[in-house]
Amino acid sequence: VVGEVFDDRRSLPLEGATVEAVHRTTRQVLATTETDERGKYHLDPGQADCIAVAILKLSFPVTAGMDITRTFF
C-alpha cells in the first residue's frame, strides 16, 4: 500500500505522520510507517485481505483513511 498525506489547511505534504495498516475485523495493527519529507509512505500489511489505513499526527485530527480490499490470485 502506497500513498501520500497532505495538510489540508496548507495543502502541503505532511512529513512525520504515522500511518498504520489495521485489519478491519480484528483491529490488529499489521504495519506501521512514517511519511517522508514529501508526505509519501509505503506499507506492507502482509497477506491481509481487508485493511483500513489510519493516519496520525500530533496536533492534527485522526484520519481513518481508505478501506482497502485485496484479491489474491
Side-chain angles (χ1 to χ4, degrees):
V1 178
V2 296
E4 297 175 282
V5 179
F6 287 88
D7 177 348
D8 284 340
R9 294 177 287 187
R10 300 182 306 154
S11 297
L12 295 172
L14 190 58
E15 179 179 3
T18 300
V19 183
E20 297 178 337
V22 180
H23 192 279
R24 290 197 60 214
T25 303
T26 66
R27 296 296 183 206
Q28 177 185 3
V29 176
L30 303 171
T32 302
T33 192
E34 284 194 3
T35 56
D36 65 15
E37 65 279 355
R38 297 169 301 172
K40 294 181 183 258
Y41 66 88
H42 175 267
L43 286 170
D44 183 2
Q47 294 295 315
D49 58 352
C50 195
I51 65 169
V53 175
I55 301 164
L56 310 126
K57 175 85 174 174
L58 193 60
S59 301
F60 285 83
V62 174
T63 302
M66 72 242 40
D67 288 334
I68 300 169
T69 302
R70 299 189 312 175
T71 303
F72 299 95
F73 296 97

